[in-house]
Amino acid sequence: MMWGDGMGWGMGWMWIFWLLLILGTVVLVIVLVKTLTGGSGGGNRQGGSAPPTGAGPRRSREILEERYARGEISTEEYRERLRTLEEDDR
């Protein structure tokens, strides 16, 4: 009699095990696909990744100024890149 009760309990654990195994495999496949493709699909759907029209050169200049202020680039490099940005604006 005790054997029957034990088998029922064991079968329940097997169902849970297989369910978790399948879910884990699905999650692993999703993570691998996102990793291999760069995971950039979500940004375009929300529309937050592309700057508004006309904001590109202004934002580029802001980034350049921030990098110069932090000391990441020299004065010479700052001026050269600023000239390049101004030429692109024309």
Side-chain angles (χ1 to χ4, degrees), residues 33-76:
V33 167
K34 283 192 175 202
T35 301
L36 294 175
T37 60
S40 60
N44 291 337
R45 278 181 282 188
Q46 296 173 355
S49 64
T53 305
R58 184 176 25 160
R59 180 65 185 138
S60 300
R61 185 171 296 189
E62 288 174 7
I63 292 171
L64 182 62
E65 291 171 356
E66 290 170 7
R67 290 188 64 202
Y68 180 64
R70 286 193 299 259
E72 293 178 8
I73 58 175
S74 66
T75 303
E76 181 181 309

Side-chain angles (χ1 to χ4, degrees), residues 14-47:
M14 278 184 56
W15 281 105
I16 292 172
F17 169 77
W18 285 108
L19 181 64
L20 290 175
L21 183 67
I22 291 169
L23 285 173
T25 303
V26 169
V27 168
L28 180 64
V29 167
I30 291 172
V31 168
L32 284 174
V33 167
K34 283 192 175 202
T35 301
L36 294 175
T37 60
S40 60
N44 291 337
R45 278 181 282 188
Q46 296 173 355

